[in-house]
Amino acid sequence: MKAEIQKNIVDTFRKLHTILSKFSENELNLVPYNGSWTAGQVTQHIILACSGYPELFAGETEKLTRKPDEKVKDIEGLFLNFSIKMDSPVFLIPEKKEYDKEKLNSKLLKIESELLDSAERYDLTLIPLNFQLPGFEKFTIYEWISFALIHTQRHTSQLNTIFQYITKL
């Protein structure tokens, strides 16, 4: 379980870094089409959504009474369905500003490192009690890391779409 999730962390962040590296500093902050976030905002949204996991995992937890990956299929079914338009919770909406690519990359590398460390350090079957995703039951640590990766995969796809629009402008 640990080796599998760690491989998924590395693969997911490699794909994210690959698409992000294609954007110039200017392109990172262009609105590709009406109603869209910039690539910088999408990246900041990923950072906001994937931050604080070590603190969550180090907090109060409870033992598992179900399969540790039971909710992963539900998360995938929702977040990898690209025909669904989702609204971000207010606390995950990125600020409208000029983003610096190097600073975003640095934050993403830190998050990747924290997720890898958490996957190694914590019992992935424990359920953190200090936060719950709206609309879902409480996740195990394994499911939280999976959520971070699935959510990142959704937005990596969005970044690919944004890049295609921007290169046509």
Side-chain angles (χ1 to χ4, degrees):
M1 186 178 266
K2 285 182 187 273
E4 172 197 345
I5 198 84
Q6 288 173 323
K7 181 185 180 321
N8 288 346
I9 292 166
V10 170
D11 289 348
T12 298
F13 278 85
R14 182 180 36 75
K15 289 174 184 165
L16 176 58
H17 289 296
T18 297
I19 184 57
L20 202 52
S21 71
K22 293 181 180 180
F23 288 90
S24 69
E25 201 73 39
N26 180 53
E27 290 169 337
L28 188 72
N29 292 294
L30 289 176
V31 177
Y33 50 89
N34 197 23
S36 174
W37 285 346
T38 66
Q41 286 175 296
V42 171
T43 306
Q44 179 63 20
H45 170 74
I46 293 168
I47 290 165
L48 292 171
C50 294
S51 294
Y53 281 48
E55 294 80 6
L56 175 66
F57 301 158
E60 191 179 349
T61 58
E62 68 183 15
K63 290 279 185 201
L64 184 67
T65 57
R66 59 176 176 78
K67 287 179 59 185
D69 63 349
E70 186 177 291
K71 307 284 182 226
V72 173
K73 289 288 179 217
D74 292 339
I75 299 165
E76 287 175 339
L78 181 62
F79 284 88
L80 297 181
N81 180 347
F82 299 110
S83 65
I84 298 173
K85 168 99 169 85
M86 296 185 178
D87 292 324
S88 175
V90 173
F91 63 94
L92 296 180
I93 294 176
E95 187 180 344
K96 287 183 182 178
K97 69 172 200 170
E98 294 284 310
Y99 286 93
D100 178 270
K101 190 170 162 180
E102 191 174 314
K103 287 180 182 172
L104 292 174
N105 270 317
S106 175
K107 289 176 185 176
L108 290 172
L109 288 169
K110 179 178 185 275
I111 288 168
E112 180 180 7
S113 174
E114 288 174 349
L115 290 175
L116 284 166
D117 181 61
S118 293
E120 183 62 37
R121 172 184 287 178
Y122 293 101
D123 177 348
L124 301 179
T125 68
L126 291 176
I127 297 175
L129 300 176
N130 295 337
F131 186 75
Q132 185 173 340
L133 200 64
F136 285 92
E137 293 178 33
K138 288 188 168 76
F139 289 163
T140 61
I141 292 174
Y142 181 87
E143 290 164 339
W144 270 115
I145 294 172
S146 296
F147 167 77
L149 300 178
I150 293 163
H151 180 257
T152 299
Q153 290 164 16
R154 179 181 181 86
H155 290 297
T156 299
S157 175
Q158 184 182 11
L159 286 168
N160 277 294
T161 301
I162 289 171
F163 186 74
Q164 289 172 0
Y165 271 92
I166 291 214
T167 56
K168 291 177 185 172
L169 292 178

